[in-house]
Amino acid sequence: MTADVLPAQEHMGLAASWGAHDSEPFPVVLAEGEGAWVRDVTGRRYLDFHGGYSALNFGHRHPALVAAAKAQLDRLTLSTRAFHNDQYGPFCRELAELTGTETVLPSNSGGEAVDTAVKIARKWAYQVGHVPEGTAEVVVAAANFHGRTLSIVSFSTNPAHRAGFGPFTPGFRTVPFGDIDALRSTVTGATAAVCLEPVQGEAGVIVPPKGYLAEVRQLCDDTGTLLIADEVQSGLARTGETLALDHEGVRADLTTLGKSLSGGLLPLSAVIGRADVLGVITPGDHGSTFGGNPLACAVGRAVVRLLATGEFQERSRELGAHLHARLRELDGVTEVRGRGLWAGVQLTEERSAGKRITERLAERGLLCKESRGHLRVAPPLVVTREEIDRGVGIIADVLA
Ligand SMILES: *Cc1c(COP(=O)(O)O)cnc(C)c1O
């Protein structure tokens, strides 16, 4: 056990008394993590099949990332964009080269990156697309999750994310995900962009019908509309490719990244994409005190080096196929969705009722997230085949 000896109940009590009730954390108090494993304050170990909502693709405290952070902590942590720093430029170049894009705009959270992409698309529509100022629309998919800023919840279709927060930002239209005809009849001359998750994460790991994303790309090309891919969760090897759109051979005009861009060490996100589109942003238009800070950029550079080897993409592909095959064999499972080491495991109604499945999994040493009748499985990509079998074995026991 570590230095902080407060028992778990006291930690949960402090959180309830002094922390805002923005979340309903699972009743386990984590204290340490390494690779695909975490330990709570009582010393119990758990296999982590949650993976920080895919912010922990490289596992807890990947040694190369921790080393990069420690080295940078001893050099410089913040310059702000009032001055250059010696990590920003190399980070932008290396991330652009990894992803085959031209320009990088770093920020902090995933929501901030999505919000920024929408701002850029609107400005581009006015400057380049000749849309009358103040009228641009962005078309989004139903059941999307793009974050929690006020503008982002303005185009959420989840009532819980919106209730009590209006008035909302106008200029968004919603279509069903995966329905190209609905999109065709909604994109007009006023549309600045179509903004989608290539795989809808929070909705339950929904992969769209084959060919849909290529058709979206074609529609955007035909109508002079930008395609914004929100790859905050699907990107950075989670699905078995660097970007989920790589599976389709489709390129977005703007892509948002976050979560694993800093390997779970600190907040780091980015909008990446076409130089001419990001080029509508000029000095004074937009900014962030911590965006592009040298500490985050140094860690981001170490993440890019890990991804450049292709090892994590390959692990996700190979181990993902194994994970999906094992999950499909389980009793009480109606569907296994997803790609790579990422699965939405739909349970029969009977299995998802009663004592929370996640509690029974945790009792046996597995952490996992359940929502609306499905289990979300997204272990760190450092997980081994044996650990996958162990985790799936625990799920099998609990479902039996
Ligand atoms: C998590 C997530 C976000 C929001 O990221 P935050 O860092 O929580 O703001 C945006 N888009 C997608 C697809 C996500 O999964």
Side-chain angles (χ1 to χ4, degrees):
M1 232 200 293
T2 46
D4 190 348
V5 293
L6 283 181
Q9 286 303 334
E10 278 188 47
H11 281 287
M12 292 189 265
L14 286 174
S17 301
W18 296 91
H21 296 186
D22 61 328
S23 203
E24 204 173 18
F26 187 80
V28 56
V29 182
L30 300 182
E32 292 170 37
E34 185 175 4
W37 292 86
V38 288
R39 195 186 289 274
D40 72 10
V41 289
T42 72
R44 273 203 73 175
R45 286 177 87 224
Y46 305 86
L47 185 54
D48 181 2
F49 266 25
H50 179 243
Y53 296 104
S54 292
L56 290 162
N57 285 1
F58 311 101
H60 293 269
R61 297 187 307 111
H62 190 288
L65 304 184
V66 171
K70 283 185 172 167
Q72 190 60 37
L73 276 170
D74 286 334
R75 296 181 68 240
L76 181 74
T77 58
L78 186 65
S79 61
T80 82
R81 294 281 293 139
F83 308 101
H84 289 282
N85 71 67
D86 66 3
Q87 298 300 311
Y88 173 89
F91 168 67
C92 292
R93 175 185 173 165
E94 289 156 15
L95 180 61
E97 286 177 349
L98 174 79
T99 53
T101 50
E102 296 168 331
T103 302
V104 171
L105 175 54
S107 49
N108 306 289
S109 70
E112 186 185 356
V114 172
D115 215 283
T116 302
V118 169
K119 286 174 71 178
I120 294 169
R122 284 179 168 187
K123 194 166 184 204
W124 183 87
Y126 303 137
Q127 285 197 347
V128 183
H130 308 294
V131 174
E133 175 102 27
T135 66
E137 292 181 342
V138 173
V139 181
V140 300
N144 67 70
F145 184 83
H146 297 289
R148 303 293 201 144
T149 69
L150 190 46
S151 286
I152 290 170
V153 299
S154 297
F155 59 88
S156 170
T157 59
N158 185 333
H161 294 185
R162 295 165 54 91
F165 296 134
F168 296 109
T169 306
F172 299 100
R173 313 241 346 234
T174 307
V175 294
F177 185 61
D179 181 343
I180 190 67
D181 294 326
L183 191 61
R184 271 201 193 99
S185 56
T186 306
V187 169
T188 67
T191 310
V194 173
C195 176
L196 298 170
E197 299 156 84
V199 176
Q200 284 194 324
E202 298 308 299
V205 196
I206 313 287
V207 180
K210 206 167 162 49
Y212 171 71
L213 294 164
E215 287 177 318
V216 174
R217 174 72 270 176
Q218 189 63 49
L219 175 65
C220 288
D221 288 342
D222 294 346
T223 54
T225 304
L226 296 175
L227 174 57
I228 302 172
D230 181 358
E231 298 239 24
V232 167
Q233 193 164 166
S234 60
L236 309 179
R238 173 51 64 187
T239 66
E241 295 282 353
T242 302
L243 300 177
L245 276 185
D246 294 343
H247 289 283
E248 315 288 329
V250 169
R251 308 208 47 83
D253 302 299
L254 297 175
T255 300
T256 53
L257 297 175
K259 294 204 165 104
S260 277
L261 189 53
S262 54
L265 269 66
L266 39 75
L268 173 63
S269 64
V271 181
I272 63 174
R274 277 167 53 183
D276 62 329
V277 177
L278 276 142
V280 300
I281 294 292
T282 55
D285 280 7
H286 183 76
S288 157
T289 303
F290 280 88
N293 73 77
L295 180 57
C297 287
V299 175
R301 294 181 70 192
V303 163
V304 169
R305 285 194 290 276
L306 292 181
L307 287 168
T309 66
E311 179 199 333
F312 291 91
Q313 294 88 326
E314 193 181 318
R315 290 187 76 83
S316 181
R317 276 195 302 274
E318 289 180 3
L319 295 172
H322 178 65
L323 172 73
H324 280 245
R326 292 291 321 270
L327 289 170
R328 285 209 175 88
E329 292 166 0
L330 301 183
D331 276 344
V333 169
T334 57
E335 189 187 17
V336 180
R337 298 180 294 263
R339 214 159 211 181
L341 271 174
W342 196 16
V345 185
Q346 198 67 40
L347 306 172
T348 59
E349 243 163 73
E350 166 187 81
R351 299 301 162 124
S352 55
K355 187 176 175 188
R356 281 163 72 193
I357 286 187
T358 41
E359 272 171 50
R360 287 185 277 150
L361 294 172
E363 282 163 10
R364 291 166 174 79
L366 184 73
L367 294 186
C368 195
K369 178 107 181 144
E370 183 186 11
S371 60
R372 281 168 286 123
H374 68 270
L375 285 178
R376 198 111 42 79
V377 177
L381 309 178
V382 295
V383 74
T384 64
R385 202 179 169 92
E386 292 68 35
E387 287 163 346
I388 289 172
D389 288 341
R390 180 177 177 142
V392 174
I394 294 171
I395 297 173
D397 282 352
V398 164
L399 291 181

